[in-house]
Amino acid sequence: MQTDALTMQADALTMQAHALTMQAHALTMQAHALTMQTDALTMQANVLVVQNIAKLNLLRINEMLYLAK
């Protein structure tokens, strides 16, 4: 009887360990997803910077063309 109880406790601890491992994997996946979202936002910000630089350059070109007349 005592052996059966110990076996059941060991099985319960093993199941808890597996559950904790699965939770750790889920947290790791969430961290990766957040990293990917951060990277996407950084890329969007970079695109906006490049677009604004292009607009500024276009304004400068138009200004130079106007002044050259």
Side-chain angles (χ1 to χ4, degrees):
M1 289 257 185
Q2 201 172 17
T3 304
D4 290 340
L6 289 175
T7 301
M8 288 175 63
Q9 285 179 341
D11 289 343
L13 288 174
T14 300
M15 289 174 63
Q16 286 178 342
H18 287 308
L20 288 173
T21 300
M22 289 174 63
Q23 287 176 343
H25 287 308
L27 289 173
T28 301
M29 290 174 63
Q30 288 176 344
H32 287 309
L34 288 173
T35 301
M36 290 173 64
Q37 287 175 343
T38 301
D39 291 344
L41 289 172
T42 301
M43 289 173 64
Q44 287 175 346
N46 289 342
V47 166
L48 290 174
V49 168
V50 170
Q51 286 175 343
N52 284 323
I53 290 171
K55 287 178 184 178
L56 180 62
N57 286 339
L58 183 60
L59 286 173
R60 288 180 177 169
I61 290 168
N62 286 338
E63 181 183 10
M64 284 187 276
L65 292 173
Y66 175 79
L67 292 174
K69 289 182 182 180

